[in-house]
Amino acid sequence: MSRFKGLLQASLSATKRALAWNMDDLMPPAERFIFNFNSKEELPRWHLYSDSEYGGLSSASLEISDGGNGLRGIFSGNLSLDVTEGSKWNISRSGFCGMRSKQFDGFIDLEGYDIIALKVKGDGRSYISTIYTENWVNSPGQSEDNSWQTFVYVPKDNWYIAKIPVSRYMPTWRGNVIDANLEMNPARVVGMSLSVNAEGGVPGSTSGPGDFKLELDWIKALRTEF
């Protein structure tokens, strides 16, 4: 009888260890690099956009430069509220620029991560962080990726790690928050972007037309809930 109890106890202990190992094995790492701006090979992964595509006069650039402590990305340019005279585009607003990652080869799975972290050095403006997820509707006229956005205030002149809860990202349609009961699918992320508007943003942040500059070290996903 004692031998049976010993065998049963050993079996239960082994099962518990196996279950614990399997659970740990299934959990993603505590952090995951999404973008790292420490190499010029990062540049082809992004494309720039601005109101200039619609008759505006804003401009932007993205480069990888050595700031003395290693390479980092520099997203910079000028925000203008003016519109090209005689433009065929009837735009309702101007004064925006952005950098969007080119679509991933498939998608990346951020399931299990609850924070998007960005190591940045800015100019006191508010920037918009966007996560694009695969469109689950796929109906006619609705082929665009789903987009989720939130403001990121970047203090001026000092490196800063902005930690944004994934739950703070709101569903948007072409820059406007939509009133819909939608839930992000973090397992099907197809891209990200950072953008800046001349107007709006977090109260107290720099706004208005003029130059902007955002330096980037990396963008990561963090898992803080265990």
Side-chain angles (χ1 to χ4, degrees):
M1 189 69 174
S2 59
R3 290 181 60 188
F4 175 77
K5 287 183 177 180
L7 181 61
L8 179 61
Q9 186 60 47
S11 177
L12 290 174
S13 297
T15 300
K16 288 179 180 178
R17 287 195 301 271
L19 288 173
W21 181 86
N22 287 336
M23 287 300 295
D24 290 340
D25 190 51
L26 290 173
M27 294 297 289
E31 65 177 38
R32 174 177 179 175
F33 274 104
I34 305 173
F35 300 104
N36 200 334
F37 296 88
N38 62 359
S39 168
K40 291 189 176 182
E41 294 180 359
E42 182 67 23
L43 290 177
R45 300 182 67 191
W46 298 85
H47 72 261
L48 298 166
Y49 62 90
S50 72
D51 57 43
S52 63
E53 300 172 29
Y54 308 100
L57 297 176
S58 299
S59 60
S61 67
L62 176 64
E63 60 181 338
I64 303 294
S65 178
D66 190 343
N69 293 314
L71 297 177
R72 82 276 197 231
I74 302 178
F75 171 49
S76 62
N78 182 269
L79 296 167
S80 173
L81 298 177
D82 297 327
V83 179
T84 303
E85 187 175 352
S87 171
K88 67 177 182 178
W89 299 97
N90 183 25
I91 61 175
S92 59
R93 64 185 177 90
S94 61
F96 64 88
C97 295
M99 50 180 280
R100 176 171 175 170
S101 66
K102 294 178 182 178
Q103 192 161 16
F104 301 134
D105 183 13
F107 55 88
I108 62 172
D109 184 356
L110 297 183
E111 185 77 51
Y113 293 98
D114 55 303
I115 297 287
I116 300 297
L118 306 88
K119 186 177 180 181
V120 289
K121 180 180 178 182
D123 51 10
R125 288 186 181 270
S126 289
Y127 289 80
I128 300 170
S129 173
T130 304
I131 297 174
Y132 301 96
T133 56
E134 184 182 58
N135 188 319
W136 2 17
V137 179
N138 291 323
S139 61
Q142 193 78 2
S143 59
E144 295 184 22
D145 300 324
N146 292 331
S147 62
W148 310 80
Q149 297 184 318
T150 189
F151 280 113
V152 184
Y153 169 66
V154 183
K156 188 176 180 179
D157 296 335
N158 291 308
W159 283 103
Y160 169 74
I161 298 179
K163 295 182 179 180
I164 313 166
V166 172
S167 59
R168 191 186 298 172
Y169 285 83
M170 303 295 292
T172 61
W173 170 251
R174 297 184 179 178
N176 297 308
V177 175
I178 58 176
D179 184 14
N181 186 23
L182 296 177
E183 186 174 329
M184 183 193 296
N185 181 5
R188 309 287 285 191
V189 174
V190 296
M192 291 186 173
S193 73
L194 285 168
S195 57
V196 59
N197 292 339
E199 299 177 326
V202 175
S205 61
T206 301
S207 62
D211 294 339
F212 69 88
K213 181 180 179 181
L214 179 69
E215 299 181 50
L216 302 121
D217 192 342
W218 45 253
I219 300 175
K220 295 178 183 179
L222 304 180
R223 178 170 60 89
T224 63
E225 297 179 357
F226 294 89

